[in-house]
Amino acid sequence: MKKACYIGGQWMYATEYAPLYAPYSGNEIAQISLADERLVEQAITAAQKATPLMRRMPAYQRASLLERISILMGERMEEAARMIALEAGKPIKTARGEVIRTIQTYKFAAEEAKRLHGETIPMDAAVGGEGRVAYTVREPLGVIGAITPFNFPMNLVAHKVGPALAAGNTVVLKPASQTPLSALFLAEIAEQAGVPAGALNIVTGSGSSVGDLLVKDPRIKAITFTGSPSVGMDIRNRAGLKRVTLELGSNSAVIVDRDVHLEEVIPRCIFGAFAYSGQVCISVQKIYVVKELYEPFVSRFVTETRRLRGGDSLSEDADYSAMIHPNETQRVLSWVEKAALQGARIECGGTCEGRMLQPTVMTGVPEDAKISCQEVFGPVVLINPVDSVQHAIELVNDSRYGLQAGVYTNHLGTAMLAADELHVGGVMINDIPTFRVDHMPYGGVKESGMGREGVKYAMEELTECKLVVMKK
């Protein structure tokens, strides 16, 4: 089945196509259009043409469109979840959760469209400012280039498209090559909801072709990107004066203090480590446990991990399934093997069953091992002992990344210490770093990116502040 690009309110086919394969079965599920320079040019032109309409559209109308998208998506929730499970290999139970969050994200965007405002400035606070009234307004930037990853193919699209439209921008979206169906599904929904032609355009193809054209074109006023640090830094270096929001890599950690209750902590950490086979930007990759609790923590963690069930992503019984591509599975396995050669111990997992990499728990991993200091983006978690929470904080901060971190403790002073000293974008006290709800500010420091998502905060990134001063 051939899939077209969505440009200017029309479906347009490319001259070349690429097969799309299901991660679990390996079967071909579609033929995807590979947009060339001509189609990308048409998409940007369509978005530019729709810019005056979206800029002038009243906030209540933008809100109504986004509310309609959320309603229509809710009516097709099971269809959407099965699409995610099929193309992304995400277990159907997890896929349903993503669709629910996507619906909520568009609802948040609808609400925030009506709350986008500036402020008044007391000009007479400065000498010479007397006799003037001043206020600020938030204005849309124009055409937004959005580039999204495979791991949340509907909700991370929503986090870019929703705020952009809510603020009165237009969008050219380049979804991940492995998960274009979810984005094209949104095009159907948006068309039905009455989104004006050209306000949302979706071009499928490789990042090196489509993404490069978006970054270089001067009509694109901002790039919002989620993906690898290397690609993100390249975009930042070539974007010129474009606004850039980057959500990049991580190797998120959890710190476990000596006085916590393991019956609550361990199930949450297992979820954070192995949900969607660890292919989550804020997946739990490292766990630092104060040494008094280390042995019982590891023993119980391994026992619970072995109870997880793998299977077809469309199966209701599957807790995990195949990773996005066999090459990624082999990459993670090679990292595990290298760490083992450096002295790490594989407590469970570390092997494949069919196309599925088993949930893997490792201990004694050196801090300089590749699997520790880089983003594994797979079903692997490292558990190491520490002398204290302060010791763990130092280890967490000794990283290229800084997206989110979790700290479990029953001491307020320790919690406040961690909140103050952890150099990350978000600190989760008594929870895992994998926690995210869709209206909170979300983003990192260092090589984890720049700018913030979360609908309200993304809208600020995608608008310009204009000052108006009137002399009496």
Side-chain angles (χ1 to χ4, degrees):
M1 178 174 59
K2 291 185 176 180
K3 292 290 185 178
C5 297
Y6 183 72
I7 298 172
Q10 300 180 42
W11 295 95
M12 296 187 179
Y13 289 92
T15 55
E16 294 185 35
Y17 299 85
L20 181 66
Y21 299 102
Y24 177 76
S25 67
N27 295 332
E28 183 178 314
I29 54 178
Q31 288 277 324
I32 305 301
S33 289
L34 296 178
D36 55 15
E37 187 171 351
R38 175 184 59 87
L39 285 178
V40 177
E41 166 66 26
Q42 289 178 343
I44 297 172
T45 299
Q48 181 77 7
K49 185 177 179 181
T51 295
L53 173 62
M54 288 300 294
R55 181 185 179 89
R56 291 193 301 266
M57 184 180 288
Y60 76 88
Q61 289 186 13
R62 300 196 303 272
S64 178
L65 290 175
L66 289 159
E67 180 70 24
R68 184 68 177 151
I69 288 174
S70 71
I71 292 170
L72 292 171
M73 193 164 284
E75 293 172 354
R76 300 173 66 180
M77 186 170 74
E78 187 63 19
E79 177 188 354
R82 294 184 69 84
M83 188 177 297
I84 293 171
L86 184 63
E87 70 172 348
K90 183 172 289 189
I92 187 67
K93 294 180 291 187
T94 311
R96 289 192 188 104
E98 179 177 346
V99 179
I100 290 169
R101 285 185 59 189
T102 302
I103 293 166
Q104 184 169 248
T105 300
Y106 284 114
K107 288 183 70 69
F108 279 133
E111 294 161 2
E112 290 297 339
K114 296 179 284 188
R115 292 198 284 257
L116 186 63
H117 58 79
E119 60 182 1
T120 57
I121 312 296
M123 298 300 286
D124 61 354
V127 175
E130 303 93 332
R132 290 168 174 82
V133 174
Y135 62 91
T136 62
V137 292
R138 306 291 310 191
E139 294 189 336
L141 296 177
V143 183
I144 308 300
I147 305 172
T148 56
F150 72 84
N151 57 331
F152 284 85
M154 281 194 186
N155 196 36
L156 289 184
V157 165
H159 271 285
K160 300 185 186 305
V161 172
L165 296 182
N169 296 290
T170 61
V171 182
V172 179
L173 168 66
K174 206 299 280 188
S177 298
Q178 177 57 44
T179 53
L181 301 182
S182 295
L184 297 173
F185 175 80
L186 169 64
E188 294 178 27
I189 295 285
E191 188 173 49
Q192 188 179 353
V195 173
L200 173 62
N201 308 273
I202 299 174
V203 285
T204 54
S206 71
S208 59
S209 56
V210 177
D212 185 61
L213 292 169
L214 294 179
V215 172
K216 292 192 302 185
D217 197 294
R219 293 169 295 176
I220 301 289
K221 301 304 180 184
I223 295 287
T224 172
F225 170 82
T226 299
S228 71
S230 60
V231 176
M233 285 187 278
D234 181 62
I235 288 172
R236 182 69 186 89
N237 290 336
R238 294 188 296 115
L241 294 178
K242 287 182 176 65
R243 191 81 60 87
V244 176
T245 301
L246 303 173
E247 199 275 279
L248 306 177
S250 182
N251 55 4
S252 297
V254 174
I255 300 170
V256 180
D257 201 358
R258 57 178 48 85
D259 59 345
V260 302
H261 301 294
L262 296 186
E263 59 269 19
E264 175 189 347
V265 178
I266 287 175
R268 283 293 285 164
C269 286
I270 288 175
F271 169 81
F274 303 123
Y276 190 35
S277 295
Q279 298 170 121
V280 180
C281 300
I282 40 178
S283 174
V284 174
Q285 184 169 330
K286 299 188 285 190
I287 305 175
Y288 295 110
V289 185
V290 172
K291 58 187 177 182
E292 291 90 331
L293 274 186
Y294 180 72
E295 293 297 336
F297 185 96
V298 172
S299 176
R300 291 170 65 172
F301 193 98
V302 170
T303 298
E304 292 298 317
T305 297
R306 287 182 171 139
R307 291 176 178 159
L308 297 175
R309 301 175 65 179
D312 189 329
S313 57
L314 292 170
S315 168
E316 298 289 346
D317 297 324
D319 296 310
Y320 64 92
S321 190
M323 290 183 65
I324 194 67
H325 193 278
N327 289 347
E328 286 299 294
T329 303
Q330 290 305 312
R331 175 189 60 79
V332 175
L333 274 173
S334 71
W335 288 18
V336 170
E337 291 165 1
K338 288 178 183 177
L341 291 174
Q342 291 177 265
R345 175 184 171 89
I346 301 173
E347 301 289 347
C348 66
T351 59
C352 285
E353 182 180 315
R355 297 170 70 94
M356 297 182 296
L357 177 57
Q358 304 300 294
T360 302
V361 180
M362 304 187 75
T363 57
V365 180
E367 289 295 323
D368 62 351
K370 194 172 189 178
I371 206 165
S372 177
C373 58
Q374 296 189 29
E375 181 179 38
V376 65
F377 221 64
V380 180
V381 65
L382 322 177
I383 311 177
N384 282 348
V386 289
D387 295 328
S388 64
V389 171
Q390 180 65 58
H391 179 207
I393 291 171
E394 293 167 4
L395 292 173
V396 173
N397 286 343
D398 186 21
S399 171
R400 297 160 48 190
Y401 304 108
L403 189 46
Q404 294 195 161
V407 181
Y408 279 94
T409 182
N410 286 323
H411 293 285
L412 179 60
T414 301
M416 296 304 294
L417 173 74
D420 183 53
E421 294 195 2
L422 282 167
H423 189 36
V424 294
V427 179
M428 306 298 121
I429 304 296
N430 289 329
D431 208 347
I432 54 176
T434 321
F435 175 79
R436 182 185 181 186
V437 289
D438 296 291
H439 63 302
M440 78 186 208
Y442 175 77
V445 299
K446 298 187 280 188
E447 289 187 30
S448 286
M450 58 189 300
R452 291 295 179 268
E453 291 193 338
V455 178
K456 171 187 172 183
Y457 306 92
M459 289 173 67
E460 292 174 357
E461 301 279 353
L462 300 177
T463 54
E464 203 76 74
C465 178
K466 175 187 281 186
L467 171 68
V468 179
V469 181
M470 293 185 290
K471 186 177 180 182
K472 295 180 183 178

